Amino acid sequence: MFARSTTLQAQLSALESGIAHVRDEVMPALDGIPGCIGLSLLVDRHTGRCIVTTSWESEEAMRASAEQVIPIRNRVAEKFGGSPMVEEWEIAAMHRAHLTPQGACARVTWVKTDPSRIDSAIEVYRDHTLPGMEQQLDGFCSASLMVNRSSGRAVSSSVYENAEAMERNRIASAALRVDAARQARVEAVDVREFELALAHLRVPELA
């Protein structure tokens, strides 16, 4: 399974119209592209940072869609009022403990490591980090790990029932993050918190 993420620094005044556009126009358009199996949208209403992620059955399907999604992406950028930054990933892990309710939020962590250590980092995430999240973080719904094997970059997203649950778990989540970074020998680059405005990735269990 693979994913393409598009990050935009949106104008705050354009957030609602941008979300509506992705829900009402982009999602139906993507349904017609072979190999696309879903979409999610993360929104930070304080900073305007938005991340649209599409999921794909294979790397070949994702690559084949590249030209077709350009006008769709450009229209999204126009609606949000920001320039897109595009990244492509392999989906290395996906685990859902509970259904994601309306009002769910996500904490996203970007890390980097030597590309030769990606497989060991994935193993640590699957064997230690995911079970730790499910057992220790109240209100935990799901988590995923996406990696870029050539650059050594990876991004983990953990989803919670609501903003209150995410805030309650901030300290415990940070402890898990530090422990995982030590075991996997990765360096955290950035940590951000978002509203999960749209949750339709439809990626199967990969844990």
Side-chain angles (χ1 to χ4, degrees):
M1 306 295 293
F2 287 78
R4 179 185 290 119
S5 64
T6 301
T7 302
L8 302 116
Q9 189 60 46
Q11 298 178 15
L12 296 182
S13 61
L15 286 178
E16 289 302 334
S17 62
I19 293 169
H21 175 75
V22 174
R23 181 188 63 235
D24 300 335
E25 304 293 336
V26 175
M27 287 178 60
L30 290 174
D31 280 342
I33 300 178
C36 185
I37 57 172
L39 172 150
S40 72
L41 172 60
L42 298 172
V43 175
D44 184 335
R45 294 184 181 274
H46 300 291
T47 67
R49 190 174 190 181
C50 300
I51 305 175
V52 182
T53 302
T54 53
S55 53
W56 302 87
E57 291 178 347
S58 65
E59 186 175 14
E60 292 75 17
M62 182 175 68
R63 299 266 188 250
S65 73
E67 293 297 322
Q68 199 169 353
V69 301
I70 288 175
I72 299 173
R73 181 189 307 128
N74 290 342
R75 185 61 176 151
V76 170
E78 289 176 11
K79 283 291 184 179
F80 278 113
S83 299
M85 181 186 75
V86 181
E87 295 181 277
E88 294 182 342
W89 311 90
E90 174 189 338
I91 304 175
M94 169 66 76
H95 174 61
R96 295 181 179 88
H98 305 289
L99 292 175
T100 303
Q102 190 74 23
C105 292
R107 180 177 294 114
V108 182
T109 303
W110 289 265
V111 303
K112 65 179 182 180
T113 188
D114 188 285
S116 66
R117 291 201 290 267
I118 283 289
D119 282 325
S120 62
I122 293 171
E123 184 177 353
V124 168
Y125 188 85
R126 288 175 172 171
D127 294 346
H128 299 282
T129 306
L130 278 178
M133 288 180 179
E134 189 163 14
Q135 295 164 13
Q136 301 175 36
L137 304 182
D138 179 48
F140 170 79
C141 294
S142 64
S144 64
L145 177 68
M146 303 190 301
V147 303
N148 184 310
R149 292 182 179 274
S150 62
S151 68
R153 283 172 49 81
V155 56
S156 167
S157 299
S158 53
V159 176
Y160 304 89
E161 293 174 349
N162 49 47
E164 291 76 18
M166 185 167 63
E167 183 175 357
R168 283 198 311 271
N169 289 312
R170 197 167 283 148
I171 294 175
S173 177
L176 284 171
R177 185 166 60 247
V178 169
D179 185 56
R182 178 186 56 79
Q183 291 189 61
R185 297 169 66 191
V186 302
E187 176 187 351
V189 177
D190 196 9
V191 181
R192 301 287 183 105
E193 295 180 347
F194 297 88
E195 171 191 334
L196 183 53
L198 296 170
H200 298 280
L201 271 186
R202 303 200 302 268
V203 175
E205 185 82 2
L206 297 170

